[in-house]
């Protein structure tokens, strides 16, 4: 029987990351998985066209991971199957002065996808309960109450027609070491590495705890989190594709009705 991967990756309020193996393959074969990616994303592409035409719903895909966890790679490999006209990718780095002068949801809300489109957040408002917590940029009382803000913010988005799908790319510490080493050793990749990445790596356990708590506190039925096995890129890509397909099928966007009188119309 086929494994229900989407269900298996879904985070619950009792999430334990030890139950999610970053090297999981679900028994898939690499070559077959690549072919299946084409198939799954072909269907997602067709559904995206309907989403775009209907202009009733949007999809927000939130990508979070440690450095080198595959956020950029996922966007490059999976999203390239979609019509770029209907996709809006935004990355959230260290907040600017203007962003810092506002509440932490301001900068992300501004980039929430318009109806008919798929928005992708490369990092997101979750940084404000992740890096901000680990680096102690604010006291515990401040980041803790943000879980509630975030649940309510995402609830508002879903009530208003934006489906929120959140993906934690779950990479192992060993895999991160290898990828960082590759980045340093490859001159074309070196630009991606910052010395500060080593400080984050040294706080691996604190980040894992912050991810676990964020996922437990904010994975809801209307805005679920998924733990995507991310050590193998080919597994990661197919899992992400299957999750997207699952959600687009649930939306089931319908083409808008055509104007009256088009049946049998012959262009003069
Ligand atoms: P990168 O994704 O490699 O471009 O790095 C972006 C950096 O911005 C990461 O080190 C994040 O931790 C950091 N960052 C993102 N959002 C915030 C935030 N709200 N506060 C502080 N740092 C942040
Ligand atoms: Mg980085």
């Amino acid at each position: 029987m086929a494994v229900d991967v989407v269900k298996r990756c879904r985070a619950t309020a009792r999430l334990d990351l030890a139950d999610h193996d970053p090297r999981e393959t679900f028994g898939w074969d690499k070559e077959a998985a690549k072919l299946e990616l084409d198939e799954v994303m072909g269907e997602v592409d067709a559904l995206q066209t309907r989403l775009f035409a209907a202009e009733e719903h949007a999809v927000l895909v939130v990508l979070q991971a440690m450095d080198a966890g595959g956020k950029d790679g996922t966007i490059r490999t999976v999203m390239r199957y979609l019509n770029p006209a209907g996709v809006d990718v935004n990355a959230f780095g260290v907040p600017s002065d203007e962003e810092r002068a506002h509440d932490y949801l301001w900068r992300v809300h501004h980039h929430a996808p318009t109806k008919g489109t798929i928005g992708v957040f490369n990092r997101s408002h979750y940084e404000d309960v992740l890096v901000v917590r680990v680096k102690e940029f604010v006291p515990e009382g401040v980041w803790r109450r943000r879980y509630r803000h975030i649940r309510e913010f995402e609830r508002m988005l879903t009530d208003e027609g934006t489906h929120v799908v959140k993906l934690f790319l779950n990479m192992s510490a060993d895999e991160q070491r290898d990828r960082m080493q590759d980045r340093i050793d490859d001159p074309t990749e070196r630009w991606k590495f910052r010395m500060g990445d080593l400080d984050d790596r040294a706080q691996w356990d604190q980040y894992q705890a912050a991810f676990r708590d964020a996922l437990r506190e904010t994975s809801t039925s209307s805005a679920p989190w998924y733990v995507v096995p991310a050590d193998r890129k080919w597994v990661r890509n197919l899992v992400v594709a299957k999750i997207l397909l699952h959600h687009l099928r649930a939306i089931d966007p319908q083409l808008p009705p055509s104007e009256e009188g088009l049946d049998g119309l012959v262009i003069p």
Side-chain angles (χ1 to χ4, degrees), residues 23-93:
R23 304 193 61 74
E24 179 68 71
T25 61
F26 305 105
W28 296 339
D29 166 76
K30 186 172 177 176
E31 288 316 308
K34 286 182 175 171
L35 295 176
E36 197 182 349
L37 180 67
D38 292 343
E39 230 172 82
V40 173
M41 286 309 295
E43 194 177 339
V44 173
D45 179 39
L47 286 162
Q48 185 208 18
T49 303
R50 282 160 49 182
L51 186 84
F52 192 81
E55 280 185 272
E56 276 184 13
H57 297 273
V59 177
L60 172 60
V61 180
V62 171
L63 279 173
Q64 288 288 163
M66 294 295 285
D67 287 306
K71 300 183 291 294
D72 298 295
T74 300
I75 293 167
R76 196 175 53 238
T77 319
V78 180
M79 303 304 164
R80 73 154 164 244
Y81 287 90
L82 304 178
N83 180 351
V87 181
D88 182 24
V89 180
N90 285 280
F92 297 95

Side-chain angles (χ1 to χ4, degrees), residues 67 71-72 92-95 100 107 122-124 127-128 131-132 137 192 194 197 200 207:
D67 287 306
K71 300 183 291 294
D72 298 295
F92 297 95
V94 178
R100 223 186 285 276
R107 67 169 180 167
N122 181 345
R123 302 187 191 266
S124 66
E127 293 293 326
D128 292 279
V131 61
V132 166
F137 291 154
K192 293 184 189 171
R194 289 194 202 94
D197 296 351
D200 286 337
Y207 272 105

Side-chain angles (χ1 to χ4, degrees), residues 4-16 20 166 215 219-228 239 243 246-247 250:
D4 187 349
V5 170
V6 175
K7 209 168 167 185
R8 272 191 44 190
C9 294
R10 195 179 289 232
T12 67
R14 289 178 309 282
L15 168 77
D16 184 350
H20 293 264
K166 301 175 291 193
L215 269 61
S219 192
T220 62
S221 55
S222 57
W225 269 107
Y226 294 92
V227 181
V228 177
V239 170
I243 293 169
H246 172 85
H247 282 274

